[in-house]
């Protein structure tokens, strides 16, 4: 329902704000352009979305998975397909269902992408402010020594990308971390 979509978008924004994330205009623009929805201006940064997918930042919404499974369980419209007229009526609804699912995921992904970009830049500025230069060895969150990448272009610094991804995965609801017991 539209109320569910509004709640999802607002609550994801509230988690970002609770973590001290005030998205910059560039973070908002990048987040929107990376979304994988059929809206004007989206899907312009597919590389960024793929990278965030690999980092486990985006597309981690169990509620969408639950919705999909529920619709499969009830065979979305399958019990009413004996009549050709009803099949033709339900076909457009199937497209709407897919759009609604894509939007539901995008609402979470938007804030996760924006939060990731802000965290990456915030960590990078803190390291540079502490006198850490490109090529210096730093300790990551796992206690492992890694090389600090570009001190001028944080978007190319894999250390910062991984650190920001870890923060977002652990501070913004990520249903990939829900145990199988709880899911059951």
């Amino acid at each position: 329902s539209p109320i569910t979509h509004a709640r999802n978008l607002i609550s994801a924004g509230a988690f970002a704000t609770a973590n001290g994330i005030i998205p910059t205009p560039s973070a908002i623009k990048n987040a929107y352009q990376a979304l994988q929805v059929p809206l004007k201006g989206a899907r312009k940064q597919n590389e960024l979305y793929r990278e965030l997918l690999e980092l486990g930042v985006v597309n981690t919404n169990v509620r969408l998975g639950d919705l999909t499974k529920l619709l499969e369980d009830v065979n979305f419209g399958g019990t009413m397909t004996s009549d050709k007229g009803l099949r033709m009526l339900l076909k457009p609804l199937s497209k709407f269902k897919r759009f609604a699912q894509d939007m539901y995921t995008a609402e979470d992904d938007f804030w996760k992408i924006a939060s990731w970009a802000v965290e990456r830049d915030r960590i990078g500025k803190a390291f540079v402010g502490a006198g850490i230069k490109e090529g210096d060895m730093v300790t990551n969150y796992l206690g492992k020594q890694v090389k600090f990448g570009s001190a001028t272009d944080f978007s190319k610094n894999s250390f910062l990308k991984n650190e920001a991804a870890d923060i977002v995965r652990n501070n913004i609801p990520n249903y990939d971390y829900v145990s199988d017991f709880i899911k059951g």
Side-chain angles (χ1 to χ4, degrees), residues 45 47-58 112-113 115-125 127 138 140-141 146-150 153-170:
Q45 294 203 33
E47 290 292 322
L48 174 61
Y49 191 84
R50 277 195 282 287
E51 182 176 19
L52 293 173
L53 194 57
E54 289 175 14
L55 289 169
V57 173
V58 294
K112 289 177 181 178
I113 295 167
S115 296
W116 174 83
V118 171
E119 289 289 0
R120 180 198 62 203
D121 292 349
R122 184 167 36 189
I123 297 165
K125 288 175 185 172
F127 272 70
V138 294
N140 70 7
Y141 66 94
V146 295
K147 188 182 290 189
F148 186 71
S150 174
D153 186 355
F154 299 147
S155 67
K156 294 182 180 176
N157 188 321
S158 63
F159 168 76
L160 293 177
K161 290 177 183 181
N162 287 315
E163 293 291 309
D166 184 63
I167 289 170
V168 171
R169 283 192 312 265
N170 286 295

Side-chain angles (χ1 to χ4, degrees), residues 82 86 129:
S82 60
L86 284 176

Side-chain angles (χ1 to χ4, degrees), residues 15-179:
F15 272 100
T17 304
N19 285 304
I21 302 292
I22 308 298
T24 62
S26 66
I28 290 172
K29 180 182 176 185
N30 288 337
Y32 181 78
Q33 289 178 341
L35 293 178
Q36 301 298 298
V37 292
L39 296 175
K40 185 177 181 181
R43 294 184 178 166
K44 289 187 174 183
Q45 294 203 33
N46 290 334
E47 290 292 322
L48 174 61
Y49 191 84
R50 277 195 282 287
E51 182 176 19
L52 293 173
L53 194 57
E54 289 175 14
L55 289 169
V57 173
V58 294
N59 205 4
T60 57
N61 193 327
V62 79
R63 290 167 294 177
L64 174 63
D66 287 346
L67 174 62
T68 303
K69 288 176 187 159
L70 177 64
L71 291 173
E72 287 172 4
D73 286 347
V74 298
N75 194 14
F76 185 70
T79 59
M80 295 185 267
T81 59
S82 60
D83 183 3
K84 185 177 180 181
L86 284 176
R87 267 185 285 161
M88 293 174 70
L89 179 67
L90 291 174
K91 189 172 185 175
L93 292 178
S94 180
K95 290 178 184 176
F96 177 75
K97 175 192 79 160
R98 179 68 183 154
F99 176 78
Q101 288 175 334
D102 288 348
M103 291 305 295
Y104 199 82
T105 300
E107 292 152 10
D108 278 343
D109 287 352
F110 173 81
W111 285 108
K112 289 177 181 178
I113 295 167
S115 296
W116 174 83
V118 171
E119 289 289 0
R120 180 198 62 203
D121 292 349
R122 184 167 36 189
I123 297 165
K125 288 175 185 172
F127 272 70
V128 170
I132 296 172
K133 302 177 296 302
E134 187 171 346
D136 286 353
M137 296 302 286
V138 294
T139 305
N140 70 7
Y141 66 94
L142 297 171
K144 182 179 174 187
Q145 288 284 313
V146 295
K147 188 182 290 189
F148 186 71
S150 174
T152 56
D153 186 355
F154 299 147
S155 67
K156 294 182 180 176
N157 188 321
S158 63
F159 168 76
L160 293 177
K161 290 177 183 181
N162 287 315
E163 293 291 309
D166 184 63
I167 289 170
V168 171
R169 283 192 312 265
N170 286 295
N171 289 298
I172 295 178
N174 181 337
Y175 298 99
D176 283 348
Y177 288 174
V178 174
S179 74

